[in-house]
């Protein structure tokens, strides 16, 4: 009977060792699974944190982008407003440049007219000198024919001089007006 009990006990003990080994293996497998799951959880948590950080950065970036877009919109509106304010000055400047160019052209034309008038006067002076020479010759020679020629030329010269003076008098108001325009233009340019 004792041998049977010992054999039974030995069998039970062996079954118990087998079960213990089996449980130890299962515990080892469970520990490995727990370790693996813990690692996966840590990786998932780290990934989630990284994604959350990336999301925050995206949100901040989007917010900054919106701020910059609003700032750009304001600057564009300001630029348009300034352009509207500047436009009248540009128009005035173009008008003043046009007036200045017109006055320059008028002055150049006036200079040409005065130059021509001066040539006429110089020609009249030459004629007068010629007449004076002939008078001197007449005085020296006392020739009636030459006197008549001189007298005729004197009359013509007097007519030319009167005509030139009339033209000059006609041009004086226009010259004064042009002079005033030039002075006004110069004053406007200084302003």
């Amino acid at each position: 009977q004792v041998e049977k009990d010992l054999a039974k006990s030995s069998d039970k003990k062996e079954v118990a060792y087998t079960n213990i080994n089996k449980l130890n293996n299962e515990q080892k497998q469970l520990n490995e699974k727990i370790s693996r799951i813990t690692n996966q959880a840590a990786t998932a948590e780290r990934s989630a944190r990284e994604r959350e950080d990336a999301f925050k950065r995206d949100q901040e970036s989007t917010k900054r982008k919106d701020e910059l877009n609003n700032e750009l919109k304001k600057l564009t509106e300001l630029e348009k407003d300034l352009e509207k304010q500047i436009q009248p000055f540009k128009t005035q400047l173009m008008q003043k440049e046009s007036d200045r160019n017109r006055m320059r052209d008028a002055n150049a034309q006036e200079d040409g007219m005065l130059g021509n008038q001066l040539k006429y006067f110089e020609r009249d002076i030459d004629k007068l000198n010629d007449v004076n020479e002939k008078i001197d010759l007449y005085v020296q020679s006392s020739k009636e024919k030459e006197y008549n020629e001189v007298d005729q030329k004197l009359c013509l010269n007097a007519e030319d001089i009167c005509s030139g003076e009339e033209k000059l008098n006609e041009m004086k108001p226009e010259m004064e007006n042009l002079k005033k325009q030039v002075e006004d233009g110069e004053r406007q340019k200084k302003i």
Side-chain angles (χ1 to χ4, degrees):
Q1 182 67 26
V2 173
E3 286 179 6
K4 281 185 182 180
D5 288 341
L6 280 173
K8 212 185 241 185
S9 177
S10 179
D11 288 343
K12 283 182 182 178
K13 189 177 178 182
E14 194 174 324
V15 168
Y17 277 135
T18 302
N19 285 337
I20 287 170
N21 282 335
K22 188 178 176 186
L23 288 172
N24 280 339
N25 286 334
E26 286 178 4
Q27 185 181 9
K28 184 181 174 187
Q29 287 175 357
L30 284 173
N31 283 338
E32 287 175 355
K33 281 183 181 179
I34 289 169
S35 176
R36 201 165 46 247
I37 289 169
T38 303
N39 288 337
Q40 287 175 352
T43 301
E45 186 180 357
R46 189 167 57 250
S47 176
R49 203 176 301 117
E50 287 173 357
R51 286 182 184 174
E52 186 179 356
D53 290 343
F55 179 74
K56 282 180 183 175
R57 283 196 301 275
D58 284 348
Q59 290 292 97
E60 288 171 3
S61 176
T62 302
K63 184 181 174 186
R64 182 65 182 147
K65 184 180 175 185
D66 290 342
E67 288 172 357
L68 289 172
N69 280 335
N70 288 334
E71 194 67 28
L72 182 63
K73 189 177 177 183
K74 285 178 187 174
L75 287 172
T76 304
E77 288 171 1
L78 180 63
E79 184 182 10
K80 286 179 183 175
D81 187 46
L82 288 172
E83 188 65 33
K84 284 180 185 175
Q85 291 178 32
I86 288 170
Q87 192 57 44
F89 294 109
K90 283 185 177 176
T91 304
Q92 286 179 8
L93 181 63
M94 286 171 64
Q95 183 63 45
K96 290 197 182 299
E97 284 177 355
S98 174
D99 291 345
R100 185 189 63 200
N101 291 336
R102 193 169 53 251
M103 279 189 255
R104 279 184 182 164
D105 291 343
N107 286 340
Q109 188 176 1
E110 187 66 24
D111 285 347
M113 288 169 64
L114 290 173
N116 289 335
Q117 204 65 32
L118 181 63
K119 285 178 187 174
Y120 293 142
F121 284 129
E122 286 173 348
R123 192 180 66 200
D124 289 343
I125 287 169
D126 288 341
K127 286 180 182 177
L128 194 57
N129 287 335
D130 185 46
V131 168
N132 284 334
E133 285 176 12
K134 289 192 176 179
I135 287 172
D136 289 339
L137 286 172
Y138 174 76
V139 168
Q140 291 170 6
S141 66
S142 298
K143 292 182 181 175
E144 187 70 29
K145 185 180 176 185
E146 288 181 5
Y147 171 77
N148 290 334
E149 285 178 10
V150 168
D151 189 46
Q152 192 177 6
K153 286 191 177 180
L154 274 173
C155 290
L156 288 172
N157 281 342
E159 287 174 9
D160 286 346
I161 289 169
C162 287
S163 173
E165 286 175 349
E166 283 175 12
K167 284 181 185 175
L168 189 60
N169 285 332
E170 286 173 7
M171 289 168 60
K172 273 184 183 176
E174 188 181 345
M175 287 168 61
E176 289 296 323
N177 189 23
L178 285 172
K179 184 179 176 185
K180 186 174 180 299
Q181 286 180 5
V182 170
E183 287 172 356
D184 289 346
E186 291 299 321
R187 269 198 301 278
Q188 288 293 330
K189 197 191 304 179
K190 286 177 184 174
I191 291 171

